[in-house]
Amino acid sequence: MQNLTDFPGNSSSYSSLSVIIKVCVVIPFFCVFLCCISVMLHIFASHRRFLDISRYILFAYMLINDTLQLLSSVLLFLFVMGRVKFAIVCCVPLLFLSTATFHNTPLILATMSLERYVAIIYPLQRPAAWRSDRIWITVLALWLISCTPPLIENAIMQQDPAVDVFSTPVICKATIVNSSPIQSLFRAAVSVLFFAVVAVIILFTYVRILLETRKLRQDRVSVSKAMHTVLLHGFQLLLCMLAFTSPITETLIVLHVNWLPEDVSFFNYFCFMLIPRFLSPLIYGFRDQSLRGYIGKTFFLCSNKIKPSIRGKLQDN
């Protein structure tokens, strides 16, 4: 917790134009994401049949989780860009939400893969925990698991006696607030553990479903769809894991391009944090045939409502 108020890098290198460009890139991108997510959540809320199917409930939960993750991430980004400083006691909850939702995403992907596995292996006698009226218990368990690491990380914080958590202003970044070597090591170990366990679960479910197709005890088409869904979850996990490539990409960029450190950090944040989180739910949502039909109808209705209003304004003019 040393030098909490110091921002890494040369502060004079932060030009106003660079900050404006970065903000103008991130904010519209985030607004488009919110628009797409809002449409899908509106479809879930408007059609009760989706809430009677476990995998759609888990997908809606993933949409809400990714929205919270991106919202907290973008807020932290804006605070750093504006060099806004506030007390540690106000910064920790925002960092806690960002970390918990970040870890929650791979857990949701693993749960969705297990749900497909249960639906194929036990089509007639599905365990009670995987029924739509009981799936909220699984959701609460995922939240509990994902919230545990940031709680432990904050508990092992090595506080500087000269720093007052209620009054000392800091730049709200995890590398500044949670800067002790123990916290950094714990954060890296937890992330590797989470993603390794999820990767094993997804691989296990895919192999078991693949073996099930050879037995031909069920409809081959439904089993094939389940296999493709599990593969999609694996691809979504790879998108999430791009966030861990930042040390490698930073080294490659510094070796080949003479960029400022803050520009390298922004490139990693936009390409390996924002874009994967944006693409992951959209790929799954637009791939689903039922959801794709409702999404198309929703955008078509919205466009039909907008066109008459534009024509009316043109006629008035």
Side-chain angles (χ1 to χ4, degrees), residues 253-288:
I253 292 174
V254 170
L255 288 176
H256 295 87
V257 183
N258 189 21
W259 284 7
L260 295 174
E262 57 268 21
D263 293 333
V264 176
S265 298
F266 173 76
F267 176 82
N268 281 323
Y269 170 70
F270 185 78
C271 294
F272 303 117
M273 179 63 74
L274 279 186
I275 291 182
R277 296 283 170 166
F278 176 77
L279 291 178
S280 180
L282 292 185
I283 291 173
Y284 188 89
F286 282 97
R287 175 190 172 274
D288 189 274

PDB file of all heavy atoms in Angstrom, residues 253-288:
ATOM      1  N   ILE A 253       4.150  -5.384 -27.758  1.00  0.00           N
ATOM      2  CA  ILE A 253       3.913  -4.027 -28.257  1.00  0.00           C
ATOM      3  C   ILE A 253       5.099  -3.125 -27.946  1.00  0.00           C
ATOM      4  O   ILE A 253       5.540  -2.342 -28.799  1.00  0.00           O
ATOM      5  CB  ILE A 253       2.612  -3.454 -27.647  1.00  0.00           C
ATOM      6  CG1 ILE A 253       1.402  -4.225 -28.182  1.00  0.00           C
ATOM      7  CG2 ILE A 253       2.462  -1.968 -27.979  1.00  0.00           C
ATOM      8  CD1 ILE A 253       0.092  -3.839 -27.523  1.00  0.00           C
ATOM      9  N   VAL A 254       5.633  -3.234 -26.732  1.00  0.00           N
ATOM     10  CA  VAL A 254       6.772  -2.396 -26.354  1.00  0.00           C
ATOM     11  C   VAL A 254       7.992  -2.703 -27.214  1.00  0.00           C
ATOM     12  O   VAL A 254       8.772  -1.820 -27.577  1.00  0.00           O
ATOM     13  CB  VAL A 254       7.094  -2.593 -24.858  1.00  0.00           C
ATOM     14  CG1 VAL A 254       8.417  -1.928 -24.504  1.00  0.00           C
ATOM     15  CG2 VAL A 254       5.980  -2.013 -23.998  1.00  0.00           C
ATOM     16  N   LEU A 255       8.147  -3.990 -27.595  1.00  0.00           N
ATOM     17  CA  LEU A 255       9.303  -4.373 -28.406  1.00  0.00           C
ATOM     18  C   LEU A 255       9.196  -3.875 -29.845  1.00  0.00           C
ATOM     19  O   LEU A 255      10.213  -3.554 -30.478  1.00  0.00           O
ATOM     20  CB  LEU A 255       9.456  -5.897 -28.403  1.00  0.00           C
ATOM     21  CG  LEU A 255       9.950  -6.534 -27.098  1.00  0.00           C
ATOM     22  CD1 LEU A 255       9.955  -8.050 -27.220  1.00  0.00           C
ATOM     23  CD2 LEU A 255      11.341  -6.027 -26.726  1.00  0.00           C
ATOM     24  N   HIS A 256       7.970  -3.809 -30.397  1.00  0.00           N
ATOM     25  CA  HIS A 256       7.805  -3.501 -31.808  1.00  0.00           C
ATOM     26  C   HIS A 256       7.221  -2.117 -32.073  1.00  0.00           C
ATOM     27  O   HIS A 256       7.368  -1.591 -33.182  1.00  0.00           O
ATOM     28  CB  HIS A 256       6.902  -4.552 -32.470  1.00  0.00           C
ATOM     29  CG  HIS A 256       7.500  -5.932 -32.479  1.00  0.00           C
ATOM     30  ND1 HIS A 256       7.350  -6.814 -31.430  1.00  0.00           N
ATOM     31  CD2 HIS A 256       8.264  -6.580 -33.405  1.00  0.00           C
ATOM     32  CE1 HIS A 256       7.981  -7.943 -31.709  1.00  0.00           C
ATOM     33  NE2 HIS A 256       8.536  -7.838 -32.890  1.00  0.00           N
ATOM     34  N   VAL A 257       6.552  -1.533 -31.096  1.00  0.00           N
ATOM     35  CA  VAL A 257       5.911  -0.232 -31.301  1.00  0.00           C
ATOM     36  C   VAL A 257       6.286   0.677 -30.140  1.00  0.00           C
ATOM     37  O   VAL A 257       6.263   0.256 -28.980  1.00  0.00           O
ATOM     38  CB  VAL A 257       4.372  -0.366 -31.387  1.00  0.00           C
ATOM     39  CG1 VAL A 257       3.746   0.996 -31.664  1.00  0.00           C
ATOM     40  CG2 VAL A 257       3.988  -1.361 -32.468  1.00  0.00           C
ATOM     41  N   ASN A 258       6.607   1.900 -30.451  1.00  0.00           N
ATOM     42  CA  ASN A 258       7.003   2.868 -29.434  1.00  0.00           C
ATOM     43  C   ASN A 258       5.765   3.580 -28.893  1.00  0.00           C
ATOM     44  O   ASN A 258       5.525   4.750 -29.183  1.00  0.00           O
ATOM     45  CB  ASN A 258       8.004   3.866 -30.023  1.00  0.00           C
ATOM     46  CG  ASN A 258       8.613   4.745 -28.950  1.00  0.00           C
ATOM     47  OD1 ASN A 258       8.605   4.395 -27.762  1.00  0.00           O
ATOM     48  ND2 ASN A 258       9.140   5.881 -29.352  1.00  0.00           N
ATOM     49  N   TRP A 259       4.973   2.852 -28.113  1.00  0.00           N
ATOM     50  CA  TRP A 259       3.757   3.406 -27.517  1.00  0.00           C
ATOM     51  C   TRP A 259       4.021   3.822 -26.083  1.00  0.00           C
ATOM     52  O   TRP A 259       4.882   3.267 -25.391  1.00  0.00           O
ATOM     53  CB  TRP A 259       2.619   2.382 -27.551  1.00  0.00           C
ATOM     54  CG  TRP A 259       1.990   2.209 -28.898  1.00  0.00           C
ATOM     55  CD1 TRP A 259       2.396   2.753 -30.075  1.00  0.00           C
ATOM     56  CD2 TRP A 259       0.847   1.409 -29.205  1.00  0.00           C
ATOM     57  NE1 TRP A 259       1.586   2.346 -31.102  1.00  0.00           N
ATOM     58  CE2 TRP A 259       0.616   1.527 -30.606  1.00  0.00           C
ATOM     59  CE3 TRP A 259       0.005   0.617 -28.446  1.00  0.00           C
ATOM     60  CZ2 TRP A 259      -0.421   0.879 -31.241  1.00  0.00           C
ATOM     61  CZ3 TRP A 259      -1.045  -0.034 -29.067  1.00  0.00           C
ATOM     62  CH2 TRP A 259      -1.254   0.101 -30.449  1.00  0.00           C
ATOM     63  N   LEU A 260       3.206   4.759 -25.622  1.00  0.00           N
ATOM     64  CA  LEU A 260       3.245   5.142 -24.216  1.00  0.00           C
ATOM     65  C   LEU A 260       2.607   4.037 -23.368  1.00  0.00           C
ATOM     66  O   LEU A 260       1.723   3.323 -23.838  1.00  0.00           O
ATOM     67  CB  LEU A 260       2.499   6.458 -24.001  1.00  0.00           C
ATOM     68  CG  LEU A 260       3.108   7.687 -24.686  1.00  0.00           C
ATOM     69  CD1 LEU A 260       2.193   8.890 -24.518  1.00  0.00           C
ATOM     70  CD2 LEU A 260       4.485   7.995 -24.103  1.00  0.00           C
ATOM     71  N   PRO A 261       3.016   3.887 -22.113  1.00  0.00           N
ATOM     72  CA  PRO A 261       2.457   2.821 -21.259  1.00  0.00           C
ATOM     73  C   PRO A 261       0.946   2.889 -21.127  1.00  0.00           C
ATOM     74  O   PRO A 261       0.261   1.862 -21.142  1.00  0.00           O
ATOM     75  CB  PRO A 261       3.148   3.052 -19.908  1.00  0.00           C
ATOM     76  CG  PRO A 261       4.412   3.767 -20.245  1.00  0.00           C
ATOM     77  CD  PRO A 261       4.101   4.608 -21.440  1.00  0.00           C
ATOM     78  N   GLU A 262       0.394   4.115 -21.010  1.00  0.00           N
ATOM     79  CA  GLU A 262      -1.054   4.233 -20.873  1.00  0.00           C
ATOM     80  C   GLU A 262      -1.784   3.846 -22.151  1.00  0.00           C
ATOM     81  O   GLU A 262      -2.919   3.341 -22.104  1.00  0.00           O
ATOM     82  CB  GLU A 262      -1.454   5.653 -20.438  1.00  0.00           C
ATOM     83  CG  GLU A 262      -0.981   6.751 -21.362  1.00  0.00           C
ATOM     84  CD  GLU A 262       0.370   7.304 -20.957  1.00  0.00           C
ATOM     85  OE1 GLU A 262       1.095   6.600 -20.232  1.00  0.00           O
ATOM     86  OE2 GLU A 262       0.688   8.428 -21.349  1.00  0.00           O
ATOM     87  N   ASP A 263      -1.153   4.052 -23.316  1.00  0.00           N
ATOM     88  CA  ASP A 263      -1.767   3.639 -24.580  1.00  0.00           C
ATOM     89  C   ASP A 263      -1.759   2.116 -24.719  1.00  0.00           C
ATOM     90  O   ASP A 263      -2.714   1.525 -25.245  1.00  0.00           O
ATOM     91  CB  ASP A 263      -1.027   4.277 -25.760  1.00  0.00           C
ATOM     92  CG  ASP A 263      -1.193   5.788 -25.801  1.00  0.00           C
ATOM     93  OD1 ASP A 263      -2.218   6.276 -25.287  1.00  0.00           O
ATOM     94  OD2 ASP A 263      -0.303   6.477 -26.342  1.00  0.00           O
ATOM     95  N   VAL A 264      -0.681   1.486 -24.244  1.00  0.00           N
ATOM     96  CA  VAL A 264      -0.612   0.026 -24.255  1.00  0.00           C
ATOM     97  C   VAL A 264      -1.681  -0.565 -23.342  1.00  0.00           C
ATOM     98  O   VAL A 264      -2.368  -1.537 -23.690  1.00  0.00           O
ATOM     99  CB  VAL A 264       0.790  -0.454 -23.833  1.00  0.00           C
ATOM    100  CG1 VAL A 264       0.827  -1.975 -23.748  1.00  0.00           C
ATOM    101  CG2 VAL A 264       1.840   0.043 -24.802  1.00  0.00           C
ATOM    102  N   SER A 265      -1.853   0.049 -22.163  1.00  0.00           N
ATOM    103  CA  SER A 265      -2.875  -0.425 -21.225  1.00  0.00           C
ATOM    104  C   SER A 265      -4.276  -0.280 -21.811  1.00  0.00           C
ATOM    105  O   SER A 265      -5.123  -1.163 -21.648  1.00  0.00           O
ATOM    106  CB  SER A 265      -2.772   0.355 -19.908  1.00  0.00           C
ATOM    107  OG  SER A 265      -1.520   0.146 -19.295  1.00  0.00           O
ATOM    108  N   PHE A 266      -4.510   0.837 -22.505  1.00  0.00           N
ATOM    109  CA  PHE A 266      -5.832   1.028 -23.109  1.00  0.00           C
ATOM    110  C   PHE A 266      -6.076   0.026 -24.222  1.00  0.00           C
ATOM    111  O   PHE A 266      -7.185  -0.504 -24.359  1.00  0.00           O
ATOM    112  CB  PHE A 266      -5.960   2.446 -23.673  1.00  0.00           C
ATOM    113  CG  PHE A 266      -7.219   2.673 -24.456  1.00  0.00           C
ATOM    114  CD1 PHE A 266      -8.430   2.839 -23.809  1.00  0.00           C
ATOM    115  CD2 PHE A 266      -7.203   2.691 -25.849  1.00  0.00           C
ATOM    116  CE1 PHE A 266      -9.605   3.036 -24.520  1.00  0.00           C
ATOM    117  CE2 PHE A 266      -8.371   2.879 -26.564  1.00  0.00           C
ATOM    118  CZ  PHE A 266      -9.568   3.058 -25.895  1.00  0.00           C
ATOM    119  N   PHE A 267      -5.069  -0.258 -25.023  1.00  0.00           N
ATOM    120  CA  PHE A 267      -5.201  -1.246 -26.098  1.00  0.00           C
ATOM    121  C   PHE A 267      -5.563  -2.614 -25.530  1.00  0.00           C
ATOM    122  O   PHE A 267      -6.461  -3.302 -26.034  1.00  0.00           O
ATOM    123  CB  PHE A 267      -3.882  -1.324 -26.886  1.00  0.00           C
ATOM    124  CG  PHE A 267      -3.876  -2.390 -27.950  1.00  0.00           C
ATOM    125  CD1 PHE A 267      -4.458  -2.157 -29.193  1.00  0.00           C
ATOM    126  CD2 PHE A 267      -3.301  -3.629 -27.710  1.00  0.00           C
ATOM    127  CE1 PHE A 267      -4.463  -3.146 -30.176  1.00  0.00           C
ATOM    128  CE2 PHE A 267      -3.298  -4.618 -28.686  1.00  0.00           C
ATOM    129  CZ  PHE A 267      -3.876  -4.371 -29.916  1.00  0.00           C
ATOM    130  N   ASN A 268      -4.885  -3.014 -24.460  1.00  0.00           N
ATOM    131  CA  ASN A 268      -5.189  -4.304 -23.823  1.00  0.00           C
ATOM    132  C   ASN A 268      -6.584  -4.309 -23.231  1.00  0.00           C
ATOM    133  O   ASN A 268      -7.315  -5.304 -23.334  1.00  0.00           O
ATOM    134  CB  ASN A 268      -4.158  -4.607 -22.738  1.00  0.00           C
ATOM    135  CG  ASN A 268      -2.850  -5.125 -23.304  1.00  0.00           C
ATOM    136  OD1 ASN A 268      -2.844  -5.863 -24.275  1.00  0.00           O
ATOM    137  ND2 ASN A 268      -1.749  -4.726 -22.712  1.00  0.00           N
ATOM    138  N   TYR A 269      -6.961  -3.203 -22.597  1.00  0.00           N
ATOM    139  CA  TYR A 269      -8.282  -3.118 -21.969  1.00  0.00           C
ATOM    140  C   TYR A 269      -9.389  -3.223 -23.012  1.00  0.00           C
ATOM    141  O   TYR A 269     -10.362  -3.966 -22.829  1.00  0.00           O
ATOM    142  CB  TYR A 269      -8.400  -1.806 -21.199  1.00  0.00           C
ATOM    143  CG  TYR A 269      -9.797  -1.489 -20.716  1.00  0.00           C
ATOM    144  CD1 TYR A 269     -10.381  -2.229 -19.697  1.00  0.00           C
ATOM    145  CD2 TYR A 269     -10.532  -0.460 -21.294  1.00  0.00           C
ATOM    146  CE1 TYR A 269     -11.664  -1.949 -19.255  1.00  0.00           C
ATOM    147  CE2 TYR A 269     -11.812  -0.169 -20.854  1.00  0.00           C
ATOM    148  CZ  TYR A 269     -12.371  -0.918 -19.834  1.00  0.00           C
ATOM    149  OH  TYR A 269     -13.649  -0.641 -19.415  1.00  0.00           O
ATOM    150  N   PHE A 270      -9.238  -2.517 -24.111  1.00  0.00           N
ATOM    151  CA  PHE A 270     -10.289  -2.495 -25.135  1.00  0.00           C
ATOM    152  C   PHE A 270     -10.355  -3.809 -25.907  1.00  0.00           C
ATOM    153  O   PHE A 270     -11.444  -4.353 -26.126  1.00  0.00           O
ATOM    154  CB  PHE A 270     -10.047  -1.338 -26.098  1.00  0.00           C
ATOM    155  CG  PHE A 270     -11.148  -1.170 -27.117  1.00  0.00           C
ATOM    156  CD1 PHE A 270     -12.343  -0.570 -26.781  1.00  0.00           C
ATOM    157  CD2 PHE A 270     -10.974  -1.623 -28.424  1.00  0.00           C
ATOM    158  CE1 PHE A 270     -13.365  -0.421 -27.714  1.00  0.00           C
ATOM    159  CE2 PHE A 270     -11.982  -1.488 -29.357  1.00  0.00           C
ATOM    160  CZ  PHE A 270     -13.175  -0.882 -29.005  1.00  0.00           C
ATOM    161  N   CYS A 271      -9.197  -4.343 -26.297  1.00  0.00           N
ATOM    162  CA  CYS A 271      -9.169  -5.532 -27.159  1.00  0.00           C
ATOM    163  C   CYS A 271      -9.374  -6.834 -26.389  1.00  0.00           C
ATOM    164  O   CYS A 271      -9.981  -7.771 -26.917  1.00  0.00           O
ATOM    165  CB  CYS A 271      -7.855  -5.593 -27.931  1.00  0.00           C
ATOM    166  SG  CYS A 271      -7.646  -4.264 -29.137  1.00  0.00           S
ATOM    167  N   PHE A 272      -8.865  -6.904 -25.170  1.00  0.00           N
ATOM    168  CA  PHE A 272      -8.859  -8.175 -24.451  1.00  0.00           C
ATOM    169  C   PHE A 272      -9.770  -8.199 -23.229  1.00  0.00           C
ATOM    170  O   PHE A 272      -9.863  -9.233 -22.560  1.00  0.00           O
ATOM    171  CB  PHE A 272      -7.428  -8.532 -24.029  1.00  0.00           C
ATOM    172  CG  PHE A 272      -6.476  -8.593 -25.180  1.00  0.00           C
ATOM    173  CD1 PHE A 272      -5.406  -7.730 -25.260  1.00  0.00           C
ATOM    174  CD2 PHE A 272      -6.664  -9.501 -26.210  1.00  0.00           C
ATOM    175  CE1 PHE A 272      -4.533  -7.763 -26.335  1.00  0.00           C
ATOM    176  CE2 PHE A 272      -5.807  -9.548 -27.293  1.00  0.00           C
ATOM    177  CZ  PHE A 272      -4.737  -8.681 -27.354  1.00  0.00           C
ATOM    178  N   MET A 273     -10.439  -7.078 -22.944  1.00  0.00           N
ATOM    179  CA  MET A 273     -11.407  -7.066 -21.858  1.00  0.00           C
ATOM    180  C   MET A 273     -12.797  -6.695 -22.364  1.00  0.00           C
ATOM    181  O   MET A 273     -13.771  -7.439 -22.181  1.00  0.00           O
ATOM    182  CB  MET A 273     -10.970  -6.084 -20.763  1.00  0.00           C
ATOM    183  CG  MET A 273     -11.950  -5.993 -19.593  1.00  0.00           C
ATOM    184  SD  MET A 273     -12.120  -7.543 -18.686  1.00  0.00           S
ATOM    185  CE  MET A 273     -10.558  -7.558 -17.814  1.00  0.00           C
ATOM    186  N   LEU A 274     -12.912  -5.548 -23.038  1.00  0.00           N
ATOM    187  CA  LEU A 274     -14.223  -5.079 -23.480  1.00  0.00           C
ATOM    188  C   LEU A 274     -14.790  -5.924 -24.615  1.00  0.00           C
ATOM    189  O   LEU A 274     -15.925  -6.400 -24.548  1.00  0.00           O
ATOM    190  CB  LEU A 274     -14.133  -3.618 -23.910  1.00  0.00           C
ATOM    191  CG  LEU A 274     -14.157  -2.548 -22.817  1.00  0.00           C
ATOM    192  CD1 LEU A 274     -14.202  -1.168 -23.449  1.00  0.00           C
ATOM    193  CD2 LEU A 274     -15.330  -2.730 -21.883  1.00  0.00           C
ATOM    194  N   ILE A 275     -14.023  -6.092 -25.687  1.00  0.00           N
ATOM    195  CA  ILE A 275     -14.538  -6.785 -26.869  1.00  0.00           C
ATOM    196  C   ILE A 275     -14.942  -8.240 -26.565  1.00  0.00           C
ATOM    197  O   ILE A 275     -16.027  -8.674 -26.966  1.00  0.00           O
ATOM    198  CB  ILE A 275     -13.514  -6.720 -28.021  1.00  0.00           C
ATOM    199  CG1 ILE A 275     -13.413  -5.279 -28.538  1.00  0.00           C
ATOM    200  CG2 ILE A 275     -13.909  -7.657 -29.162  1.00  0.00           C
ATOM    201  CD1 ILE A 275     -12.466  -5.093 -29.696  1.00  0.00           C
ATOM    202  N   PRO A 276     -14.109  -9.043 -25.861  1.00  0.00           N
ATOM    203  CA  PRO A 276     -14.567 -10.409 -25.544  1.00  0.00           C
ATOM    204  C   PRO A 276     -15.839 -10.438 -24.707  1.00  0.00           C
ATOM    205  O   PRO A 276     -16.716 -11.269 -24.942  1.00  0.00           O
ATOM    206  CB  PRO A 276     -13.373 -10.998 -24.775  1.00  0.00           C
ATOM    207  CG  PRO A 276     -12.192 -10.237 -25.255  1.00  0.00           C
ATOM    208  CD  PRO A 276     -12.689  -8.855 -25.479  1.00  0.00           C
ATOM    209  N   ARG A 277     -15.953  -9.538 -23.729  1.00  0.00           N
ATOM    210  CA  ARG A 277     -17.166  -9.500 -22.908  1.00  0.00           C
ATOM    211  C   ARG A 277     -18.371  -9.058 -23.722  1.00  0.00           C
ATOM    212  O   ARG A 277     -19.501  -9.424 -23.418  1.00  0.00           O
ATOM    213  CB  ARG A 277     -16.965  -8.543 -21.735  1.00  0.00           C
ATOM    214  CG  ARG A 277     -15.895  -8.963 -20.782  1.00  0.00           C
ATOM    215  CD  ARG A 277     -16.354 -10.067 -19.873  1.00  0.00           C
ATOM    216  NE  ARG A 277     -15.236 -10.628 -19.109  1.00  0.00           N
ATOM    217  CZ  ARG A 277     -15.376 -11.399 -18.067  1.00  0.00           C
ATOM    218  NH1 ARG A 277     -16.579 -11.750 -17.651  1.00  0.00           N
ATOM    219  NH2 ARG A 277     -14.330 -11.883 -17.427  1.00  0.00           N
ATOM    220  N   PHE A 278     -18.134  -8.272 -24.755  1.00  0.00           N
ATOM    221  CA  PHE A 278     -19.215  -7.823 -25.628  1.00  0.00           C
ATOM    222  C   PHE A 278     -19.647  -8.951 -26.565  1.00  0.00           C
ATOM    223  O   PHE A 278     -20.844  -9.166 -26.783  1.00  0.00           O
ATOM    224  CB  PHE A 278     -18.738  -6.612 -26.431  1.00  0.00           C
ATOM    225  CG  PHE A 278     -19.741  -6.132 -27.444  1.00  0.00           C
ATOM    226  CD1 PHE A 278     -20.852  -5.398 -27.057  1.00  0.00           C
ATOM    227  CD2 PHE A 278     -19.576  -6.404 -28.795  1.00  0.00           C
ATOM    228  CE1 PHE A 278     -21.770  -4.959 -27.984  1.00  0.00           C
ATOM    229  CE2 PHE A 278     -20.488  -5.966 -29.725  1.00  0.00           C
ATOM    230  CZ  PHE A 278     -21.591  -5.232 -29.324  1.00  0.00           C
ATOM    231  N   LEU A 279     -18.689  -9.687 -27.102  1.00  0.00           N
ATOM    232  CA  LEU A 279     -18.999 -10.708 -28.094  1.00  0.00           C
ATOM    233  C   LEU A 279     -19.595 -11.974 -27.475  1.00  0.00           C
ATOM    234  O   LEU A 279     -20.465 -12.609 -28.082  1.00  0.00           O
ATOM    235  CB  LEU A 279     -17.733 -11.083 -28.872  1.00  0.00           C
ATOM    236  CG  LEU A 279     -17.159 -10.022 -29.811  1.00  0.00           C
ATOM    237  CD1 LEU A 279     -15.882 -10.532 -30.454  1.00  0.00           C
ATOM    238  CD2 LEU A 279     -18.167  -9.652 -30.880  1.00  0.00           C
ATOM    239  N   SER A 280     -19.139 -12.349 -26.279  1.00  0.00           N
ATOM    240  CA  SER A 280     -19.532 -13.628 -25.692  1.00  0.00           C
ATOM    241  C   SER A 280     -21.047 -13.803 -25.571  1.00  0.00           C
ATOM    242  O   SER A 280     -21.597 -14.777 -26.102  1.00  0.00           O
ATOM    243  CB  SER A 280     -18.861 -13.793 -24.326  1.00  0.00           C
ATOM    244  OG  SER A 280     -19.222 -15.022 -23.737  1.00  0.00           O
ATOM    245  N   PRO A 281     -21.780 -12.893 -24.922  1.00  0.00           N
ATOM    246  CA  PRO A 281     -23.236 -13.098 -24.834  1.00  0.00           C
ATOM    247  C   PRO A 281     -23.953 -12.928 -26.160  1.00  0.00           C
ATOM    248  O   PRO A 281     -24.964 -13.586 -26.414  1.00  0.00           O
ATOM    249  CB  PRO A 281     -23.682 -12.036 -23.819  1.00  0.00           C
ATOM    250  CG  PRO A 281     -22.644 -10.990 -23.878  1.00  0.00           C
ATOM    251  CD  PRO A 281     -21.368 -11.693 -24.168  1.00  0.00           C
ATOM    252  N   LEU A 282     -23.420 -12.055 -27.039  1.00  0.00           N
ATOM    253  CA  LEU A 282     -24.085 -11.835 -28.327  1.00  0.00           C
ATOM    254  C   LEU A 282     -23.979 -13.072 -29.214  1.00  0.00           C
ATOM    255  O   LEU A 282     -24.933 -13.431 -29.912  1.00  0.00           O
ATOM    256  CB  LEU A 282     -23.474 -10.629 -29.032  1.00  0.00           C
ATOM    257  CG  LEU A 282     -23.720  -9.259 -28.373  1.00  0.00           C
ATOM    258  CD1 LEU A 282     -23.165  -8.155 -29.241  1.00  0.00           C
ATOM    259  CD2 LEU A 282     -25.200  -9.030 -28.115  1.00  0.00           C
ATOM    260  N   ILE A 283     -22.823 -13.725 -29.203  1.00  0.00           N
ATOM    261  CA  ILE A 283     -22.645 -14.938 -30.009  1.00  0.00           C
ATOM    262  C   ILE A 283     -23.634 -16.003 -29.572  1.00  0.00           C
ATOM    263  O   ILE A 283     -24.293 -16.653 -30.397  1.00  0.00           O
ATOM    264  CB  ILE A 283     -21.192 -15.447 -29.897  1.00  0.00           C
ATOM    265  CG1 ILE A 283     -20.240 -14.480 -30.597  1.00  0.00           C
ATOM    266  CG2 ILE A 283     -21.065 -16.842 -30.492  1.00  0.00           C
ATOM    267  CD1 ILE A 283     -18.776 -14.829 -30.393  1.00  0.00           C
ATOM    268  N   TYR A 284     -23.755 -16.187 -28.256  1.00  0.00           N
ATOM    269  CA  TYR A 284     -24.677 -17.197 -27.745  1.00  0.00           C
ATOM    270  C   TYR A 284     -26.124 -16.822 -28.035  1.00  0.00           C
ATOM    271  O   TYR A 284     -26.941 -17.661 -28.415  1.00  0.00           O
ATOM    272  CB  TYR A 284     -24.472 -17.373 -26.238  1.00  0.00           C
ATOM    273  CG  TYR A 284     -25.240 -18.538 -25.654  1.00  0.00           C
ATOM    274  CD1 TYR A 284     -24.680 -19.805 -25.610  1.00  0.00           C
ATOM    275  CD2 TYR A 284     -26.527 -18.365 -25.163  1.00  0.00           C
ATOM    276  CE1 TYR A 284     -25.374 -20.879 -25.076  1.00  0.00           C
ATOM    277  CE2 TYR A 284     -27.237 -19.435 -24.632  1.00  0.00           C
ATOM    278  CZ  TYR A 284     -26.655 -20.687 -24.595  1.00  0.00           C
ATOM    279  OH  TYR A 284     -27.365 -21.741 -24.082  1.00  0.00           O
ATOM    280  N   GLY A 285     -26.458 -15.528 -27.863  1.00  0.00           N
ATOM    281  CA  GLY A 285     -27.835 -15.087 -28.064  1.00  0.00           C
ATOM    282  C   GLY A 285     -28.285 -15.196 -29.506  1.00  0.00           C
ATOM    283  O   GLY A 285     -29.379 -15.692 -29.797  1.00  0.00           O
ATOM    284  N   PHE A 286     -27.446 -14.757 -30.436  1.00  0.00           N
ATOM    285  CA  PHE A 286     -27.824 -14.789 -31.844  1.00  0.00           C
ATOM    286  C   PHE A 286     -27.718 -16.194 -32.431  1.00  0.00           C
ATOM    287  O   PHE A 286     -28.314 -16.465 -33.473  1.00  0.00           O
ATOM    288  CB  PHE A 286     -26.950 -13.825 -32.654  1.00  0.00           C
ATOM    289  CG  PHE A 286     -27.359 -12.382 -32.503  1.00  0.00           C
ATOM    290  CD1 PHE A 286     -26.718 -11.559 -31.603  1.00  0.00           C
ATOM    291  CD2 PHE A 286     -28.406 -11.861 -33.246  1.00  0.00           C
ATOM    292  CE1 PHE A 286     -27.096 -10.232 -31.462  1.00  0.00           C
ATOM    293  CE2 PHE A 286     -28.794 -10.533 -33.112  1.00  0.00           C
ATOM    294  CZ  PHE A 286     -28.137  -9.719 -32.208  1.00  0.00           C
ATOM    295  N   ARG A 287     -26.968 -17.092 -31.761  1.00  0.00           N
ATOM    296  CA  ARG A 287     -26.888 -18.458 -32.259  1.00  0.00           C
ATOM    297  C   ARG A 287     -28.173 -19.225 -31.967  1.00  0.00           C
ATOM    298  O   ARG A 287     -28.591 -20.070 -32.767  1.00  0.00           O
ATOM    299  CB  ARG A 287     -25.704 -19.177 -31.608  1.00  0.00           C
ATOM    300  CG  ARG A 287     -25.607 -20.652 -31.980  1.00  0.00           C
ATOM    301  CD  ARG A 287     -24.583 -21.355 -31.126  1.00  0.00           C
ATOM    302  NE  ARG A 287     -24.614 -22.799 -31.348  1.00  0.00           N
ATOM    303  CZ  ARG A 287     -25.425 -23.640 -30.724  1.00  0.00           C
ATOM    304  NH1 ARG A 287     -26.298 -23.175 -29.847  1.00  0.00           N
ATOM    305  NH2 ARG A 287     -25.385 -24.931 -30.977  1.00  0.00           N
ATOM    306  N   ASP A 288     -28.810 -18.936 -30.831  1.00  0.00           N
ATOM    307  CA  ASP A 288     -30.022 -19.642 -30.459  1.00  0.00           C
ATOM    308  C   ASP A 288     -31.158 -19.281 -31.408  1.00  0.00           C
ATOM    309  O   ASP A 288     -31.471 -18.109 -31.603  1.00  0.00           O
ATOM    310  CB  ASP A 288     -30.408 -19.287 -29.014  1.00  0.00           C
ATOM    311  CG  ASP A 288     -31.530 -20.156 -28.492  1.00  0.00           C
ATOM    312  OD1 ASP A 288     -32.698 -19.790 -28.743  1.00  0.00           O
ATOM    313  OD2 ASP A 288     -31.256 -21.181 -27.839  1.00  0.00           O
TER     314      ASP A 288
END
